[in-house]
Amino acid sequence: MEKITFNLTELHKHGSAFFEFLALRKQFFVDQLGWDIPHDDSVEMDQYDNPKAYYSLVLKDGKVVGGMRAMATTAQWGAHTYMLRDAVDGKLIGIPADIIPHAEVTPNVWEATRVVISDTLTTHAERSECLALTLDGVVEQATAQGATEIIALCPPVFARTLRQLGYPAKIIGAPYTNLHDERRYVAMAMPAVRRKAAKAPRVAPPPRSMHPLQHQAVHAPSKL
């Protein structure tokens, strides 16, 4: 497996990888979990897939098998900033406004969203390696721009998975239950520090998603 990282200005360098990532998201979040989020028959794409976003994807045999989106907490595109801040500001339906005590706005903190791993990776080792590579890519992008911390909404058990992969994580908010998939999620943070170069350990298979439904805005976004 190998990772690739890019933003929207660099899509042309990676063929169909971005489209494959959007398609993988649609297969999981829409087809499997049944989330009511913007999509068509092929892909899922929302208001946070904008020029402020960065992507870390993992390829196996030339095909996308995992990925993650990230952006600085200073990001703003139209009426939207980043997911957790928009939730705190009451712009999103379904994520509590008190999900975190305070919405950071600093280049030192980045948010990770839309984490997904393909069902084609069936072993613990493969899924752990995919997640570790995806996280490595996000950390590389974030630290290159001065970030020191990454935040995300995750299943509570994910904190242990991250620590086993070499990324110490801490919970920073109260958990809540997502109405669409009835899973519990909580905000957590981890240092944006590159783990030592080593093969990902054989840990329990990581959850398919690192964050819950990226809910529709109260005021529906313009057509993608």
Side-chain angles (χ1 to χ4, degrees):
M1 280 184 270
E2 63 176 323
K3 72 176 185 297
I4 58 174
T5 58
F6 56 87
N7 59 20
L8 294 189
T9 68
E10 301 167 313
L11 295 186
H12 62 285
K13 299 178 181 179
H14 302 288
S16 62
F18 181 59
F19 185 89
E20 290 179 30
F21 176 53
L22 299 180
L24 185 60
R25 283 165 40 175
K26 193 262 183 180
Q27 292 168 13
F28 178 57
F29 297 114
V30 178
D31 297 343
Q32 295 186 37
L33 294 187
W35 289 354
D36 181 17
I37 51 180
H39 67 279
D40 62 12
D41 292 339
S42 301
V43 301
E44 176 268 310
M45 188 177 188
D46 67 13
Q47 63 267 33
Y48 302 102
D49 292 299
N50 62 55
K52 300 295 184 179
Y54 289 78
Y55 299 88
S56 175
L57 308 185
V58 175
L59 309 180
K60 182 180 181 183
D61 299 325
K63 296 295 183 181
V64 173
V65 293
M68 181 182 304
R69 177 179 64 196
M71 61 177 57
T73 57
T74 53
Q76 182 156 359
W77 190 254
H80 297 286
T81 60
Y82 64 96
M83 189 182 69
L84 283 172
R85 183 181 175 190
D86 284 351
V88 170
D89 290 344
K91 295 179 180 179
L92 300 183
I93 298 171
I95 300 179
D98 60 353
I99 187 67
I100 52 176
H102 172 69
E104 298 282 357
V105 182
T106 169
N108 296 332
V109 180
W110 277 40
E111 179 190 55
T113 54
R114 282 296 190 268
V115 182
V116 65
I117 297 173
S118 172
D119 279 339
T120 62
L121 301 183
T122 58
T123 69
H124 294 187
E126 284 182 321
R127 296 176 70 80
S128 295
E129 181 183 359
C130 181
L131 177 61
L133 286 171
T134 307
L135 285 166
D136 288 349
V138 168
V139 168
E140 289 171 9
Q141 291 173 306
T143 56
Q145 298 189 49
T148 58
E149 186 175 63
I150 296 171
I151 59 176
L153 278 176
C154 318
V157 68
F158 215 89
R160 182 167 62 92
T161 300
L162 292 175
R163 287 192 289 268
Q164 289 175 321
L165 290 174
Y167 286 108
K170 62 180 180 180
I171 291 174
I172 58 173
Y176 81 102
T177 300
N178 182 283
L179 297 179
H180 291 258
D181 60 19
E182 297 184 349
R183 299 180 182 184
R184 286 172 65 78
Y185 296 92
V186 68
M188 59 183 63
M190 72 176 203
V193 177
R194 298 183 186 183
R195 65 192 178 95
K196 294 182 180 179
K199 185 177 179 180
R202 291 177 176 268
V203 300
R208 287 288 308 275
S209 169
M210 196 174 167
H211 60 93
L213 170 62
Q214 193 145 320
H215 302 263
Q216 296 260 13
V218 175
H219 301 290
S222 58
K223 187 177 295 184
L224 296 173

